Amino acid sequence: NATQSMLTAAIYIGLAMVFDALDGRIARMTGTAGDFGAELDSLCDAVSFGAAPAFFLRVFGEALYGAGIEHTPEWPIRLLWATAALYLACTVLRLARFNVEAGRDDDHRSFRGLPSPAAAAACVSLFLISYFYRDDATGKLAFGGTMTVLIPVCGTAFALLMVSRVRYL
């Protein structure tokens, strides 16, 4: 069941956020923080908060568009692929900029650009809203028509906010 798989993926992305919040703090508390750990953390963030949400948005959108059904137009699927690619690219750019701008003594109380875990949470929240308001009798996700528009629009907005110069707490 695709819906159950997406729910499981949403839970794993949430768990990645918890572990991401803990790893840096633990490294600083134990005095084991270093350049290697920071780079490894960014690589993990690129997968957990870049690749996974990008793929998640594409799969969620395709499920709503009815990909694979005989009369499905091709352009929405291409739009989803483009959105996912942009999201992933912006996540990697945001993480690279963070590594360049952040110093060792940085307290991480504010960031330029939307943090990638927050963007991932926003992407997953689109599905969770649709999932928790679904029709229990049929299992059909709620707000299907609205979500088909929101997925590419919000995915693009979250991507651009990550590479923006806007300050976030």
Side-chain angles (χ1 to χ4, degrees), residues 57 83 87 119 122-123 126 149-161:
L57 286 175
T83 301
Y87 183 88
C123 290
L126 293 173
V149 173
L150 283 179
I151 291 169
V153 169
C154 289
T156 299
F158 302 147
L160 296 176
L161 285 172

Side-chain angles (χ1 to χ4, degrees), residues 28-110:
R28 285 187 291 279
M29 284 176 22
T30 59
T32 56
D35 292 339
F36 180 77
E39 296 303 323
L40 190 56
D41 181 66
S42 288
L43 181 59
C44 292
D45 288 356
V47 173
S48 300
F49 309 127
F55 185 74
F56 185 90
L57 286 175
R58 188 189 62 80
V59 169
F60 179 34
E62 284 183 358
L64 293 175
Y65 280 117
I69 296 175
E70 191 173 321
H71 299 292
T72 303
E74 195 172 311
W75 71 266
I77 305 307
R78 289 181 187 263
L79 179 61
L80 289 170
W81 276 94
T83 301
L86 176 69
Y87 183 88
L88 178 57
C90 287
T91 303
V92 172
L93 288 171
R94 193 250 179 268
L95 292 167
R97 183 177 70 197
F98 174 79
N99 285 350
V100 169
E101 291 178 350
R104 273 186 190 249
D105 299 327
D106 191 357
D107 63 4
H108 301 299
R109 291 180 191 218
S110 71

